Amino acid sequence: MPVEFLGIAATNEGSEVTPRSGPSFDKEYTLKLARAHEDHGWDRVLFAYGSGSPDPSPAAAYIAARTEKLQILVAHRPNVAYPTFAAKTFATLDRISDGRLAVHFITGGNDHEQQREGDFLTKDERYARTREAIQIIKKAWTSHEPFDHEGTHYRFSDFVSDTFPVQQPHPRVSFGGSSPAAYEAGGAEADIYCLWGEPLAETAQQIESVKAAAKAAGRTDVPKIQVAFRPIIAPTEELAWEKAYRTLDRIKARRAGAPLSRRHPLKDPENTGSQRLLAVAARSERHDRALWTPTAAETGGAGNSTALVGTPETVARALLDYYDLGVEILSARGYDLLDDAIDFGRQVIPIVREEVAKRDAAKAIDAAA
């Protein structure tokens, strides 16, 4: 089973530990970070979405035109663009990138953030709309005949696109969430299902929920599973833990100076995924081989916020523990974005790929026997 690595395509150097020093879209930094991923063994980078952030689609086009093999994952909120328009945008991006595009559909876990761009639906209504939007976009990517649609959230007549993706039948659809409504929508429609870094036992339970939802939707396959972490690595275990606590102090200092994010509250998050991360953090600071939760607790369980701490070998083994659960895509993002992307690519990715190759070879031998 192959393994893929997903990094972050930040458009500036700011993070939870460092306020940005320039514009929100720094072209030179964006390209430098993307090329660091491409040059150091990463498969793909994510262009995230925020109500006030640079638009991920043109930013992705900028990078696609200046890289050769790096794959691109573009985040999309269905409330900001009609599905037929979004389908053409993404088909065009797939053409620009020569078939390197995937699309991550965000339903939105925070009412206030959604309302900033005019979205006043309830959470369950948003999930239903996301599922409907994905179905329309897939059809627009593949239908060469005009079609009509009359659904709960969208209605149109006689649409047919003249712009189709390079990838057949279409680019991969990525989806995330930890609520029953999320499992139902993503299990039915997603090619990739994204989870945040929880302990192994909880991750295994979520994987089973995704599989059950896919089966309930009548699928004979299941989405690939992706899990996200914040790696903190150093040459020795002692130095890694010193670095981890320094990182936590930097997050606290950053919080004291200005809000970390307009997208996510530091207390009482609405979305189930953040609630789960905070519950894991309240239970213990450390889980399994290397999972560390204070970074999640300090940021209100904001997205990808649990860390893996240790030497490159320890972090690689921890990632392999998730691979052994069936996780095929490993998402990682450090706190010092550029340096950490290079260090992780040089020191961790080769170990994981080598061990995965050994596992695959052993399985092939067993199958032949």
Side-chain angles (χ1 to χ4, degrees):
M1 183 174 71
V3 64
E4 301 175 50
F5 285 92
L6 170 69
I8 190 69
T11 58
N12 59 72
E13 85 279 30
S15 75
E16 296 93 332
V17 301
T18 307
R20 78 169 195 254
S21 61
S24 61
F25 183 40
D26 181 333
K27 290 198 304 180
E28 288 72 22
Y29 183 86
T30 301
L31 181 56
K32 188 175 184 180
L33 182 61
R35 284 179 172 163
H37 283 86
E38 184 171 55
D39 293 342
H40 293 91
W42 298 78
D43 297 287
R44 182 180 299 104
V45 289
L46 166 67
F47 284 86
Y49 190 94
S51 60
S53 301
D55 187 341
S57 290
Y62 172 72
I63 291 304
R66 290 161 177 82
T67 55
E68 296 180 0
K69 59 183 180 180
L70 187 67
Q71 297 174 54
I72 293 166
L73 177 61
V74 173
H76 172 65
R77 288 183 184 168
N79 61 291
V80 301
Y82 208 75
T84 50
F85 175 82
K88 293 184 295 180
T89 298
F90 299 137
T92 304
L93 271 174
D94 201 48
R95 288 281 160 186
I96 291 170
S97 66
D98 295 321
R100 289 183 278 150
L101 179 74
V103 182
H104 180 63
F105 286 84
I106 300 173
T107 297
N110 180 287
D111 288 348
H112 188 192
E113 168 68 4
Q114 293 299 121
Q115 290 165 9
R116 287 181 173 126
E117 294 189 288
D119 185 7
F120 287 86
L121 296 184
T122 67
K123 187 177 178 181
D124 284 351
E125 288 172 335
R126 293 199 298 267
Y127 274 115
R129 179 184 59 196
T130 299
R131 185 172 180 179
E132 187 177 341
I134 293 172
Q135 292 169 345
I136 293 168
I137 289 170
K138 285 181 178 178
K139 190 167 184 178
W141 279 339
T142 56
S143 177
H144 292 262
E145 298 295 330
F147 65 97
D148 303 336
H149 179 85
E150 186 162 352
T152 302
H153 299 282
Y154 303 105
R155 179 184 178 187
F156 56 86
S157 300
D158 198 39
F159 176 79
V160 64
S161 178
D162 193 36
T163 305
F164 294 93
V166 172
Q167 298 176 78
Q168 296 298 316
H170 54 69
R172 289 196 289 180
V173 167
S174 172
F175 188 94
S178 298
S179 66
Y183 298 141
E184 181 180 357
E189 301 296 340
D191 302 300
I192 300 167
Y193 201 100
C194 307
L195 304 171
W196 291 331
E198 297 186 17
L200 292 164
E202 285 84 349
T203 301
Q205 291 168 359
Q206 291 215 75
I207 291 172
E208 289 307 311
S209 295
V210 174
K211 289 180 177 179
K215 183 178 180 180
R219 292 178 61 168
T220 57
D221 63 338
V222 296
K224 288 189 174 184
I225 301 297
Q226 172 184 303
V227 180
F229 303 98
R230 307 299 291 270
I232 301 174
I233 60 173
T236 68
E237 296 294 326
E238 181 180 6
L239 289 173
W241 285 105
E242 289 177 3
K243 182 178 178 181
Y245 284 104
R246 284 199 310 273
T247 299
L248 185 61
D249 288 342
R250 293 172 70 192
I251 294 173
K252 292 177 180 179
R254 172 86 167 81
R255 274 190 60 187
L260 290 177
S261 172
R262 280 172 50 83
R263 280 181 277 174
H264 186 87
L266 292 176
K267 294 182 179 179
D268 303 320
E270 299 169 27
N271 60 308
T272 304
S274 293
Q275 293 168 6
R276 290 176 64 102
L277 292 186
L278 291 178
V280 168
R283 196 164 77 237
S284 177
E285 286 194 0
R286 299 190 189 186
H287 298 265
D288 303 323
R289 191 187 299 273
L291 189 69
W292 192 56
T293 63
T295 47
E298 190 64 28
T299 57
N304 178 9
S305 56
T306 48
L308 292 177
V309 181
T311 63
E313 293 76 15
T314 295
V315 170
R317 287 196 296 270
L319 292 169
L320 287 162
D321 290 338
Y322 288 88
Y323 175 83
D324 290 337
L325 287 181
V327 176
E328 297 180 61
I329 304 173
L330 299 169
S331 174
R333 171 165 55 103
Y335 288 95
D336 295 298
L337 300 177
L338 181 62
D339 290 343
D340 288 346
I342 293 170
D343 289 344
F344 187 88
R346 286 175 173 169
Q347 300 176 40
V348 178
I349 289 177
I351 297 173
V352 176
R353 290 200 192 280
E354 181 179 356
E355 289 302 317
V356 167
K358 289 178 181 177
R359 283 164 165 74
D360 288 347
K363 290 177 183 177
I365 291 172
D366 290 343

